[in-house]
Amino acid sequence: MSKSPEEKAKTSEKFLSLKITTPSKNSVGFGAIKSSLSQAAKYMNPADALKLSLKINQKGGFDCPGCAWPDPDDERSPIGEYCENGIKAIAEEAQNKTINREFFAKHSVDELSAMSDFEIGKSGRLAEPMFLADGASHYQPISWNDAFEKVGKHLNALNNPDEAVFYTSGRTTNEAAFLYQLFVREYGTSNLPDCSNMCHEASGSALSETLGIGKGSVTLDDLYKADLVMVVGQNPATNHPRMLSALEKCKKNGGKIIAVNPLPEAGLMKFVDPQSPIKMLMGGTKLSDVFVPVTINGDVAFFKAILLKLLQKEEATNDVFDKTFIEEFTDGYDVFISDLKTYNFDECLQASGVSKNVFDDAFDLILNNDKIIICWAMGLTQHQNAVDNIREVVNLLLLKGSIGKEGAGTCPVRGHSNVQGDRTVGIWESAPQAFLDKIESKYGFKPSVKHGYSVIDAVKAMYEKKAKVFFGLGGNFISAVPDTNYSAEALANCNLTVHVSTKLNRSHLVTGKEALIFPCLGRTEKDYQKTGVQTQSVENSMGIVSSTKGILEPCSEDLLSEVAVVCGVAHATLKERSKINWLQYQDDYNLVRDDIAEVVEGFNDFNTRLKNPSGFYLPNGARERKFNTKTGKANFSINKLPHWKLKDEELIMMTIRSHDQFNTTIYGLDDRYRGVYNERRVIFMNREDMKVRGLIEKQVVNLKSVYSGIVREAHSFKVVGYDIPKNCCATYFPETNVLVPLDSFAHTAKTPASKSVAITVEAAY
Ligand SMILES: Nc1nc2c(c(=O)[nH]1)N[C@H]1C(S)=C(S)[C@@H](COP(=O)(O)OP(=O)(O)OC[C@H]3O[C@@H](n4cnc5c(=O)[nH]c(N)nc54)[C@H](O)[C@@H]3O)O[C@H]1N2
Ligand SMILES: Nc1nc2c(c(=O)[nH]1)N[C@H]1C(S)=C(S)[C@@H](COP(=O)(O)OP(=O)(O)OC[C@H]3O[C@@H](n4cnc5c(=O)[nH]c(N)nc54)[C@H](O)[C@@H]3O)O[C@H]1N2
Ligand SMILES: [Mo]
């Protein structure tokens, strides 16, 4: 009998051999160079590695498939705007091993699912389309045409287009994403869940409401010019290494940095620039002036304490708030202030877990500086009160008039390299009416105005058999979503699951009755079409659109581009009933861009402007103090302290990334900066919490979460004593996604609360 979906979705519980060292006090430097070179040497052919490292993030080169951190507008490093983890991302994609029909004939789906995520990822690049028939144990080859027809047949057999779900992960380029959402809307649904639903959705939600734009307001230049940068809930040394160069530049210009994080992350402490050999020898730059070890989910409490103290000062001296800005540009100040006055400073400080001394140091910097930028990532967005977290950040910036001026503003640091662009060009389950109207007038069909499924809704719908076809453009849905067991059953309930992917991952193994794998080109590869090698485009975290063009030969002749896959599926599904000539787009991506220019705001003359080697900025109201909100002003908001309470024995767990992974792709088994080697099944605990529970270093434990009466368990983790606030703990995702309840998510934004999971820890034996 074949394995159950839950078993196939499970990460391997085998232990390797954990080694623990003292966590690093600084980041990057020689260690990073060594690590990235060894990664490239291991998996790529050397000529390709060199070619790529010279072209990464260069004008006219390709956009690194790693994170969404922007490239400098003018000066770029001659040896490539690279970083250790960027090289790892590329080495992973451009690896010289491929897998085809022989591989799948040799290994059954059950067998592959027993491998660790690390091993699955290292099997190689997918080289030809594969099909898993109902009841079959092995994937078999299928032609592209037959595969497209199969998708079309399944989609056309549904009772209603809303029974299909179309997921996107944020590596998809603007061109592919635009066509994909266009196809989905012409097919008849708005079920476009996106990885951003699990990521920065709460930022989009909070920022749209308060500042009228769901994106950040700052540019790289602002970061250089800020007086004070706060880095909240973010681990840049691992996830956005190039951000450290910008922070260093800010410091050189006299700026200060405050880090707010339960963990003393290496990169927040000290940075050694790998592109500056002299500085490397001198030991690098001290980055954070103040490190605030907030308790997990203690951020609203911390910010409220700051706001209360600022108010107190303002009432005494009358020169703390930017009253001209508040008067002219904001709404809701009085109501906000009267709500703020209902809070008690000591209670807020206590709830934040921050000591008075550290608080005072941070407070002084905030009080005495007016050009403030606040950067944040998943530490703020993956909580039930995530939207409150971000709105409270905005309140602080508004009081200080720190928005829409040089060196000041909001900086949500995005994850995937084009996650922001995908949303801009229409990957949105609840797209604005104005956008849908433009689609209707341009293409002559009426898009569905229903609110489609976000990620959480999609999982529920599949579980309840309301959705029967799952299509994923990139990503690794089963490993990324919460509540692995429930979600595995949800996928298994589908008639068909389809994944457009570069690499094998667990989502190819936890399938519907039938399954298809569509292997596609990666960012680094040349995209040959009838009119020549195609250029595509992406938007980075700061709203700059730029071109990306691969430089390597494709790893297999049987790959299609994402654009071609979307066109093929659309053509096979919609046939004569389509109002669109789908196949023209794949021959010439300029045509896609002409359409985007007509439909999406800010893209006029797209094809011409994309030729600018630095790309172009999209319009950003908040940057110019034009707030496109309901009130026409920037809105203060009222946010409560979170009300959850841990029960005896419980700890609050955050699920984070190690230094050797890109989301669900495991590059290696080390977390160098945190001093953890050769193991991913670890739990970082406060040493007093260990003592109370009678646990010792490296002891094997089982973890349990109980939420709404449902018990979830994850077995076999090793304890690592760590410098983390009491009652807090940390584990890596995806291993602990089994513990994250699907029903625990951010209000209004529905981001899974994967940074605040109440768990208990028990010795395994
Ligand atoms: N190399 C690499 N780069 C990546 C990724 C990757 O996996 N690998 N992923 C990409 C993606 S999609 C994303 S979204 C980003 C993710 O980038 P990050 O958000 O930096 O990633 P996480 O590991 O989730 O780290 C969250 C940080 O928040 C802190 N934190 C957790 N809970 C709280 C809290 O309650 N309050 C505060 N103040 N801090 C908290 C954690 O200690 C940790 O330092 O990175 C992108 N870049
Ligand atoms: N517990 C917990 N869960 C989380 C998070 C967390 O912090 N904690 N973070 C969440 C966040 S922020 C995010 S963004 C999601 C990520 O969720 P996803 O975006 O779904 O996951 P990824 O791991 O980024 O996807 C990796 C897969 O994408 C495919 N791929 C890579 N490059 C390309 C390409 O160019 N084209 C195509 N078509 N496919 C490609 C490869 O097959 C690879 O296996 O996970 C979320 N899940
Ligand atoms: Mo993300």
Side-chain angles (χ1 to χ4, degrees), residues 17-21 669-673 675-679:
S17 71
L18 169 63
K19 189 178 134 213
I20 305 172
T21 63
L669 301 163
D670 301 340
D671 197 1
R672 195 173 76 245
Y673 296 147
V676 168
Y677 294 86
N678 209 31
E679 195 62 83

Side-chain angles (χ1 to χ4, degrees), residues 67 85 199 232-236 238-240 260-263 265 294-299 377-380 382-383 414-416 654-657 659 661-663 667 674 755:
C67 74
N85 278 344
C199 186
V232 190
Q234 198 201 336
N235 179 19
T238 288
N239 299 311
H240 305 92
V260 184
N261 199 306
L263 300 179
E265 305 282 27
V294 74
T295 191
I296 293 176
N297 202 210
D299 301 272
M378 299 303 100
L380 286 194
Q382 297 177 331
H383 298 281
R414 301 281 162 175
H416 278 291
M654 53 182 179
T655 56
I656 56 176
R657 292 154 172 78
H659 191 62
Q661 72 184 89
F662 192 95
N663 300 337
Y667 299 140
R674 299 195 186 109
K755 295 283 188 280

Side-chain angles (χ1 to χ4, degrees), residues 175 535-536 589-597 606-607 610:
E175 288 74 7
T535 298
Q536 302 195 63
Y589 298 2
N590 285 319
L591 301 178
V592 191
R593 283 186 287 272
D594 285 341
D595 280 21
I596 295 178
F606 191 7
N607 271 312
L610 195 63

Side-chain angles (χ1 to χ4, degrees), residues 21 104 199 224 298 330 340 517 538 660 673:
T21 63
F104 286 103
C199 186
Y224 304 152
T330 71
L340 183 60
I517 301 176
V538 291
D660 266 358
Y673 296 147

Side-chain angles (χ1 to χ4, degrees), residues 60 136 173 237 272 295 330 357 389 393 408 425 478 485 500 545 560 566 703:
T173 58
V272 189
T295 191
T330 71
N357 284 347
N389 273 339
V393 160
V425 301
I478 188 57
N485 290 343
V500 184
V545 178
L560 289 186
V566 172
L703 316 180

Side-chain angles (χ1 to χ4, degrees), residues 174 213 215 420-421 424 539 542-545 600-604 609 616-621 623-624:
N174 290 329
I213 180 164
K215 308 178 183 181
Q420 186 157 312
T424 303
E539 175 187 343
M542 290 176 180
I544 303 162
V545 178
V600 188
E601 211 193 318
F603 282 86
N604 44 311
R609 286 199 293 160
F616 61 90
Y617 280 90
L618 288 174
N620 187 309
R623 202 171 276 163
E624 298 157 29

